[in-house]
Amino acid sequence: MIVLGIESTAHTASVGFVEDGKIIDFVSDSYRPSSGGINPREAASHHMDCFPDLLVKLLDRNSLDIKDIDRISVATGPGLGPALKTGVEMARYLSLKYGKELVPVNHGVAHLEIARNMSSFESPLFLYVSGGNTQIEIIGNGMYSVLGETLDIGVGNFLDKLARDLGIPFPGAPKLEEIASRGGEIFDCPYTIRGMDVAFSGLYTHLKNMIGKREERDIAFNAQEYAFTALAEIVERGMAHFGLRELAITGGVARNRRLQQLLREMSELRGYDYFFPEDKFLSDNGAMIALAGYFSKRVESPEDTRINQYERVDSYTAEWIGSRKVSPKSMVGGESMVEDVKFQGVECIRKVRRGREYRNPSLDRKINSQRLRREVRLLSAIKKVGINAPTVMYVDIDDLSIIMTKIKGKPLSMFLSDGNFNALVRESGRITALMHLSKISHGDLNAGNIIYNGDLWVIDPSMGSTSPTLEDFGIDVHLMKESLSSLGRERSFREFLKGYENFNRYEEVLNKVKEIEGRRRYL
């Protein structure tokens, strides 16, 4: 079967084809704005002008006729509305004129299919990084399941926006990479991770305000070090938490050599297998749309094919990828070593924040020391309001270690088959409400950071705050929702909310959660 793929979600117009599931060829042309970022209507006009010539070029150089095509697939979302429409209109026209099957494809799923097929991995964790998307995914139940993502803007948008502020035309990320290679001084900048989610808007604002005050090369250097270190960390947390051993990356930003270096060194340090596709397959291209279209059974009539500008990867059925069931394997996200010790005759654990050899040493020390101090402060605050938490017995800042009382029990995530699981989740909601009423956010609230031994105990609040905002409360609730979903217990989130409804800002927080989950990735 020969499948034609049409891509037009953002700045690139591309057509490509696969034959019997093998990528054969693609041709592309990218819109380049004279100033600023992508203008959606200008991009659409560019694509409309390019598509006829691109299709003729693809067919001619492969000695094909349009009649040789068996199926047409087209990216229907997510993306920029006007740009998406040009590709869909072309696909409809070809389908109707030549009587070809038409298959709508999710752009993100197509990127993931490149990594899945080329790596031949059985059950990998995927890092998908592009202009508008930043996510870590696994194979779920007949679709890709998102474990973590950006809470605000995609990493590519962050890099391109900062590049524009530095006077670098779109696309600025490749030039920023070149400039960053000449930098070396680490600044004190925001570093935002919540569970397995990341955020870049604070880092962007901070670095933007440094323009004119610091060297351009060091601004670019810090942009990459902070952003890519955060991405490597959430990948490592996901791999450790679910016991995964294979990593594959995809998306345009995955071409960045510094990001690849961090991920390669992290993988080799932890003994993970990893796969980075060739650069040409990481950019938006028609061949990836054709590949996903080849496997899909979702044939539609041209009249029914519509764009879905905000369609998520985890809302698109991809039955051909099969199903994988994963469950948490670790209470810590790969960032600490824990050992049993006795301290002053008391059974304790010693938790050491291990250095990550693959990270910039100055940044690594900064992150770990800040989290250690925050964990000590927050454990004390949590205990003071009557919530069970370990007692800190001794702290060694130089050694980045804490000795605290040992809690004999298992994480909530290990009680999925227990008949009392929903009751425990409901009680977790009540405890979270009490934390929030007491002006405490956890920052990494999930079913692995709540221990049950007859009572519920809260552990590892190292990303939380004692002066939280509504955003912090919303992120806590969002993280618990994500955690339950990743465990296949989406419905149990209702029980969590039953316990949480005692919080006097309950409705505000739920609205904030909706805002967080509905934030646009294409900006």
Side-chain angles (χ1 to χ4, degrees):
M1 177 188 285
I2 298 177
V3 180
L4 175 71
I6 300 171
E7 158 63 28
S8 67
T9 57
H11 53 74
T12 298
S14 182
V15 291
F17 76 99
V18 302
E19 185 170 4
D20 297 330
K22 180 182 178 182
I23 292 176
I24 304 299
D25 195 11
F26 66 88
V27 292
S28 308
D29 194 286
S30 294
Y31 156 74
R32 294 289 184 262
S34 56
S35 63
I38 300 175
N39 181 305
R41 297 197 179 281
E42 288 182 6
S45 178
H46 165 272
H47 299 349
M48 196 176 300
D49 291 341
C50 284
F51 269 135
D53 291 339
L54 290 175
L55 181 58
V56 169
K57 182 178 180 180
L58 177 72
L59 295 174
D60 284 352
R61 78 182 189 187
N62 289 280
S63 301
L64 285 174
D65 187 275
I66 192 67
K67 295 177 182 178
D68 298 323
I69 302 297
D70 298 297
R71 172 182 286 184
I72 296 168
S73 56
V74 61
T76 54
L80 304 172
L84 281 166
K85 286 179 182 178
T86 61
V88 170
E89 287 172 1
M90 177 179 170
R92 283 182 187 148
Y93 169 78
L94 294 174
S95 175
L96 286 168
K97 183 174 177 63
Y98 297 101
K100 306 298 181 181
E101 292 182 345
L102 183 56
V103 176
V105 169
N106 178 283
H107 173 84
V109 167
H111 270 298
L112 292 167
E113 281 301 284
I114 287 288
R116 186 183 72 87
N117 279 273
M118 291 186 171
S119 69
S120 298
F121 286 157
E122 284 294 316
S123 186
L125 183 143
F126 299 93
L127 174 65
Y128 169 30
V129 279
S130 65
N133 297 277
T134 300
Q135 297 175 330
I136 54 173
E137 289 109 343
I138 56 173
I139 294 173
N141 184 19
M143 61 175 56
Y144 287 100
S145 178
V146 176
L147 299 182
E149 61 190 315
T150 176
L151 293 167
D152 43 40
I153 59 175
V155 64
N157 278 345
F158 155 65
L159 295 170
D160 283 336
K161 287 172 69 174
L162 184 63
R164 288 201 302 272
D165 294 330
L166 289 167
I168 302 169
F170 179 88
K175 180 64 176 177
L176 203 70
E177 178 181 1
E178 178 190 332
I179 295 170
S181 67
R182 302 194 293 271
E185 181 185 354
I186 285 289
F187 305 152
D188 188 12
C189 299
Y191 181 80
T192 307
I193 289 180
R194 298 289 183 266
M196 284 182 271
D197 291 337
V198 290
F200 301 112
S201 58
L203 177 60
Y204 166 69
T205 301
H206 189 83
L207 290 174
K208 180 181 179 181
N209 291 335
M210 286 190 170
I211 295 174
K213 302 173 185 175
R214 298 279 192 152
E215 293 287 339
E216 182 181 80
R217 63 177 181 269
D218 288 324
I219 292 173
F221 177 75
N222 278 266
Q224 289 201 161
E225 290 304 303
Y226 274 86
F228 296 160
T229 296
L231 293 176
E233 179 173 343
I234 64 170
V235 166
E236 187 178 5
R237 288 169 67 84
M239 300 283 279
H241 191 63
F242 288 99
L244 302 173
R245 309 298 302 173
E246 300 168 329
L247 167 66
I249 63 174
T250 193
V253 179
R255 293 174 298 175
N256 185 286
R257 293 300 182 260
R258 176 54 179 156
L259 175 59
Q260 289 188 6
Q261 179 187 10
L262 283 167
L263 294 172
R264 181 183 300 109
E265 291 180 3
M266 182 273 291
S267 296
E268 291 174 352
L269 183 67
R270 306 296 181 227
Y272 301 148
D273 293 327
Y274 59 90
F275 177 76
F276 305 158
E278 291 180 54
D279 283 1
K280 66 180 181 180
F281 295 116
L282 291 171
S283 300
D284 293 352
N285 64 83
M288 71 183 195
I289 306 301
L291 186 64
Y294 170 81
F295 290 109
S296 178
K297 297 178 181 178
R298 190 175 168 181
V299 177
E300 291 184 352
S301 68
E303 295 84 357
D304 292 335
T305 302
R306 299 284 186 273
I307 70 167
N308 188 343
Q309 193 172 350
Y310 306 111
E311 183 178 52
R312 290 178 56 84
V313 163
D314 51 4
S315 67
Y316 182 91
T317 301
E319 70 287 338
W320 66 88
I321 67 175
S323 298
R324 303 287 188 276
K325 187 174 182 180
V326 297
S327 56
K329 301 294 191 297
S330 173
M331 287 168 53
V332 290
E335 65 193 46
S336 302
M337 299 294 291
V338 177
E339 61 178 347
D340 290 340
V341 296
K342 276 208 169 184
F343 186 82
Q344 297 180 350
V346 178
E347 284 191 71
C348 295
I349 62 167
R350 180 172 177 264
K351 179 179 177 180
V352 182
R353 292 194 169 273
R354 61 183 181 185
R356 287 173 164 85
E357 293 88 337
Y358 61 87
R359 297 202 299 209
N360 178 284
S362 297
L363 181 54
D364 183 63
R365 181 76 188 183
K366 172 182 177 293
I367 293 167
N368 281 324
S369 61
Q370 284 184 351
R371 286 184 179 166
L372 183 143
R373 289 183 170 90
R374 192 178 296 127
E375 182 171 7
V376 171
R377 184 171 65 252
L378 282 161
L379 284 174
S380 175
I382 289 169
K383 286 179 65 69
K384 283 181 181 178
V385 300
I387 298 172
N388 293 324
T391 300
V392 175
M393 307 290 284
Y394 181 78
V395 180
D396 188 332
I397 296 294
D398 293 332
D399 193 38
L400 295 173
S401 66
I402 308 174
I403 295 177
M404 64 185 85
T405 52
K406 181 177 181 178
I407 309 304
K408 295 181 179 179
K410 295 180 180 179
L412 186 59
S413 55
M414 297 298 179
F415 290 88
L416 297 178
S417 58
D418 191 291
N420 292 322
F421 181 75
N422 280 340
L424 295 175
V425 172
R426 188 163 56 249
E427 178 63 10
S428 300
R430 189 194 68 79
I431 289 172
T432 303
L434 179 55
M435 277 198 298
H436 290 180
L437 279 166
S438 306
K439 294 183 171 55
I440 301 168
S441 67
H442 187 281
D444 192 10
L445 191 66
N446 63 71
N449 280 336
I450 296 177
I451 303 297
Y452 180 64
N453 63 358
D455 295 305
L456 290 179
W457 295 72
V458 174
I459 64 169
D460 199 12
S462 60
M463 299 180 189
S465 174
T466 51
S467 55
T469 63
L470 181 62
E471 175 87 1
D472 294 321
F473 295 151
I475 288 173
D476 272 356
V477 175
H478 164 71
L479 291 176
M480 180 55 79
K481 183 179 180 181
E482 275 193 334
S483 174
L484 293 170
S485 178
S486 71
L487 296 170
R489 297 301 295 263
E490 296 92 340
R491 294 182 180 180
S492 295
F493 182 63
R494 300 172 190 169
E495 300 299 322
F496 178 85
L497 291 180
K498 287 179 183 177
Y500 186 72
E501 64 185 1
N502 294 324
F503 184 39
N504 59 1
R505 301 182 70 184
Y506 174 83
E507 293 295 340
E508 287 182 84
V509 173
L510 259 59
N511 287 333
K512 178 58 70 172
V513 172
K514 290 178 182 177
E515 178 193 324
I516 290 168
E517 294 174 348
R519 283 174 184 159
R520 294 166 59 184
R521 300 300 185 250
Y522 278 85
L523 300 174

